[in-house]
C-alpha cells in the first residue's frame, strides 16, 4: 500500500516568525542546558518517526496553539 503525500506548501501567509525569534530558538536549542537536551532529544525522535510533511504539520499546529493559549 502506497501512501500519497499531502502538500502543505502554498497559500496565504498566516504566521510570521522574525529573525530574532528564530535566533533565540537556535540559542536555546544549541546551549549547554537541560532545555537544549530535551529539545534536541525530541527533534531526533520526531525526525526518525515522522515524515517531512508530518513534521511540518506538527510545527504549524504547535505555533498555532502557542499563539492561542496564554
Amino acid at each position: 500500500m502506497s501512501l500519497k503525500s499531502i502538500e502543505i506548501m502554498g497559500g496565504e501567509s498566516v504566521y510570521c516568525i522574525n529573525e530574532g525569534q528564530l535566533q533565540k530558538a537556535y540559542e536555546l536549542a544549541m546551549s549547554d542546558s537541560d532545555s537544549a537536551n530535551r529539545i534536541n532529544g525530541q527533534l531526533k525522535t520526531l525526525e526518525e518517526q515522522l515524515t517531512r510533511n508530518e513534521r511540518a504539520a506538527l510545527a504549524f499546529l504547535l505555533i498555532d496553539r502557542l499563539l492561542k493559549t496564554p
Side-chain angles (χ1 to χ4, degrees), residues 44-59:
K44 183 175 188 277
T45 299
L46 292 171
E47 288 172 343
E48 291 171 352
Q49 296 181 357
L50 300 178
T51 66
R52 184 178 187 277
N53 278 347
E54 290 168 341
R55 293 190 317 267
L58 179 59

Side-chain angles (χ1 to χ4, degrees), residues 13 15-26 63 67:
S13 212
Y15 304 114
C16 181
I17 300 169
N18 70 43
E19 289 180 12
Q21 291 169 311
L22 184 59
Q23 181 63 35
K24 287 182 187 267
Y26 272 108
I63 290 169
L67 289 170

Side-chain angles (χ1 to χ4, degrees), residues 19-36:
E19 289 180 12
Q21 291 169 311
L22 184 59
Q23 181 63 35
K24 287 182 187 267
Y26 272 108
E27 287 171 6
L28 180 60
M30 301 306 164
S31 66
D32 184 24
S33 69
D34 290 337
S35 289

